Amino acid sequence: MSDAETVTATMLSVRRYGWVAVLAAWLGVTWIELANLQNASLLLFVVPPFELAVWLSAIALTVRLAYRAPARRSTALTTAALLLVTCAWFTNWGLFHPASYWATHRWAFNAVADGVREGRIGTSRDYYGEFLPLHLRDLSTNGRAAVVGSQDGKPVLFLPQWVGIPDDAGGYVYLDATPRPDLLIDLFGEPARVAGGQHLGDGWWYVLPGD
């Protein structure tokens, strides 16, 4: 085998194994999305960074492999931008910065609010609530929406961003009305006032135990 053939064979081998690594990375992304890992207790400091690291690793490997071919570099950069947007959509950083996550996912939060007003969401009285539609489950750490109170017959909906062990939780709350100052809700064992939380707009609040 000539030197040129050796180099070509080596490059093909590297590229082949590179695609194997890319496939493995995206299988990891698929797993974390389907597994819906919960931000439970101290895991809230571990799960979101881990999910972000898996996403960014898959994106970096994909772009690096595609960028090796000069003719495809513009395509690789475009792909990187699209994948980063996808990563931002599926990675939930709400517990670290509630306002920015709510603002960048307004379509999804509006869909939940519409479901509450139309009686499609917020009808279950199970303690941890009902599962959200599949395309909205990233809004909640357990994929569920729980009714944690009511005002004038309207449910107060809770999308937990973290849950404590054994009790308490914090997250997004929706009420299709202006909450009374004394309106108390049950955040999985800990009381909180809706009006004491961070007001986001359009009936949405971010509420923590003790608010």
Side-chain angles (χ1 to χ4, degrees):
M1 182 180 292
S2 66
D3 291 342
E5 290 173 331
T6 300
V7 170
T8 300
T10 301
M11 291 178 64
L12 288 174
S13 179
V14 169
R15 193 170 184 81
R16 186 181 304 115
Y17 286 113
W19 282 117
V20 170
V22 168
L23 177 60
W26 285 110
L27 286 174
V29 170
T30 302
W31 176 78
I32 62 172
E33 291 301 327
L34 294 177
N36 196 25
L37 303 176
Q38 293 190 42
N39 300 325
S41 191
L42 294 179
L43 287 179
L44 67 91
F45 298 108
V46 177
V47 172
F50 171 72
E51 291 182 342
L52 181 61
V54 173
W55 266 97
L56 293 180
S57 296
I59 292 171
L61 286 169
T62 303
V63 174
R64 181 182 179 186
L65 194 60
Y67 197 77
R68 286 176 178 171
R72 299 180 183 175
R73 287 180 179 175
S74 60
T75 302
L77 294 176
T78 302
T79 301
L82 291 174
L83 289 175
L84 286 171
V85 170
T86 305
C87 172
W89 178 261
F90 285 103
T91 303
N92 189 327
W93 68 87
L95 63 90
F96 297 112
H97 201 280
S100 65
Y101 183 78
W102 176 79
T104 55
H105 292 72
R106 283 294 299 276
W107 173 84
F109 281 99
N110 288 343
V112 172
D114 289 343
V116 174
R117 290 191 295 268
E118 295 167 6
R120 293 181 287 103
I121 297 176
T123 58
S124 172
R125 291 302 181 265
D126 288 347
Y127 187 71
Y128 289 108
E130 62 197 317
F131 279 108
L132 290 163
L134 190 60
H135 64 290
L136 299 174
R137 287 184 187 175
D138 281 334
L139 299 182
S140 168
T141 190
N142 59 8
R144 295 172 177 265
V147 175
V148 292
S150 66
Q151 177 177 294
D152 300 327
K154 295 182 177 181
V156 180
L157 195 78
F158 179 46
L159 305 180
Q161 300 303 292
W162 58 269
V163 293
I165 297 176
D167 299 308
D168 76 12
Y172 295 97
V173 167
Y174 175 75
L175 173 64
D176 185 25
T178 300
R180 292 190 296 267
D182 62 345
L183 176 61
L184 282 176
I185 56 176
D186 176 21
L187 299 182
F188 298 163
E190 288 291 333
R193 291 181 307 112
V194 176
Q198 179 183 354
H199 186 211
L200 301 170
D202 294 336
W204 287 99
W205 301 71
Y206 193 82
V207 185
L208 298 173
D211 281 343

